[in-house]
């Protein structure tokens, strides 16, 4: 009988440990802030989408949530396309205000995977610090959550055009983005 109680306590302990862990998929759109461009020849802001997955460990009203996202951005410079793909790893520390509402923030680590300049000749200037910070809110409705996140870069990476057919200008890549997305829990 003691073995039965021991097994029951072990099973309940394992269940409570795993119930504090959540994981799933997320995705959405991202848009740069209005001050991301410093020249008149840039027709629009960087815009794009992101997709990835997350894990979340809950501690009563606090949680830690690391994510791995693939982010794709694009823009036009004098009707010529510019696009890039990044790997972003945000690590959030969150606080649950209410069962359906939480706020979060933390660092984001960004690594560039690919840049496509097409007909543009761009030189990278300044150093690359791939660290930024994010702050956001999450509305949860069962397994579905609506996320609103603002991302602010810690340092600027600037790209300047030196193509003779293109006016001189620069893209201020300071990771100032607003991300609107959904996440779905698989737990």
């Amino acid at each position: 009988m003691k073995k039965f109680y021991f097994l029951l306590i072990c099973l309940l302990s394992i269940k409570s440990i795993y119930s504090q862990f959540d994981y799933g998929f997320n995705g959405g759109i991202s848009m740069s802030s209005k001050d991301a461009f410093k020249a008149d020849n840039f027709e629009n802001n960087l815009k794009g989408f992101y997709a990835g997955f997350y894990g979340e460990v809950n501690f009563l009203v606090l949680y830690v949530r690391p994510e791995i996202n693939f982010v794709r951005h694009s823009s036009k410079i004098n009707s010529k396309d510019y696009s890039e793909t990044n790997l972003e790893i945000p690590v959030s520390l969150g606080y649950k205000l209410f069962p359906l509402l939480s706020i979060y923030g933390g660092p984001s680590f960004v690594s560039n995977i690919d840049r496509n300049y097409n007909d543009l000749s761009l030189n990278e200037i300044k150093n690359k610090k791939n660290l930024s910070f994010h702050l956001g809110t999450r509305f949860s409705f069962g397994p579905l959550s609506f996320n609103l996140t603002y991302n602010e870069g810690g340092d600027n990476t600037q790209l300047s055009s030196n193509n003779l057919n293109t006016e001189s200008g620069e893209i201020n890549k300071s990771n100032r983005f607003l991300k609107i997305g959904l996440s779905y829990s698989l737990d």
Side-chain angles (χ1 to χ4, degrees):
M1 192 66 162
K2 289 181 182 180
K3 289 182 181 179
F4 173 74
Y5 288 125
F6 178 73
L7 286 173
L8 184 62
I9 290 171
C10 287
L11 288 174
L12 291 175
S13 298
I14 291 171
K15 173 68 175 148
S16 67
I17 289 171
Y18 284 118
S19 67
Q20 295 175 1
F21 183 73
D22 184 22
Y23 59 94
F25 296 100
N26 59 354
I29 60 171
S30 63
M31 299 164 282
S32 67
S33 66
K34 297 286 185 196
D35 60 349
F37 293 91
K38 300 209 178 223
D40 294 332
N41 59 334
F42 296 104
E43 298 171 5
N44 52 23
N45 293 342
L46 285 172
K47 58 185 179 283
F49 63 91
Y50 70 97
F53 56 93
Y54 73 90
E56 183 176 301
V57 180
N58 295 296
F59 306 100
L60 297 176
V61 295
L62 296 176
Y63 61 89
V64 176
R65 179 178 169 140
E67 300 179 11
I68 297 177
N69 296 320
F70 288 95
V71 183
R72 177 81 173 164
H73 291 120
S74 63
S75 186
K76 290 187 182 226
I77 304 171
N78 285 342
S79 301
K80 296 183 182 182
D81 292 327
Y82 167 80
S83 63
E84 69 179 34
T85 303
N86 294 322
L87 177 66
E88 179 187 44
I89 303 174
V91 179
S92 301
L93 176 62
Y95 178 73
K96 295 179 182 178
L97 298 170
F98 303 105
L100 301 177
L101 176 66
S102 67
I103 57 173
Y104 56 89
S108 294
F109 305 95
V110 180
S111 178
N112 183 261
I113 296 173
D114 181 45
R115 285 191 177 127
N116 184 359
Y117 303 141
N118 286 344
D119 297 328
L120 294 173
S121 176
L122 296 175
N123 284 339
E124 197 161 324
I125 59 175
K126 286 202 170 190
N127 56 350
K128 284 197 267 184
K129 284 194 179 175
N130 297 325
L131 178 66
S132 61
F133 297 94
H134 64 277
L135 182 65
T137 186
R138 180 174 293 114
F139 300 96
S140 299
F141 306 99
L144 191 64
S145 296
F146 174 75
N147 310 307
L148 185 62
T149 307
Y150 178 73
N151 200 41
E152 174 73 40
D155 188 32
N156 295 343
T157 298
Q158 295 180 342
L159 301 172
S160 67
S161 171
N162 65 357
N163 191 334
L164 296 176
N165 298 327
T166 306
E167 293 178 33
S168 178
E170 62 186 33
I171 300 174
N172 182 346
K173 298 262 310 105
S174 58
N175 293 324
R176 290 186 186 120
F177 287 94
L178 177 65
K179 296 191 323 188
I180 302 169
L182 294 174
S183 56
Y184 185 77
S185 172
L186 297 174
D187 185 28

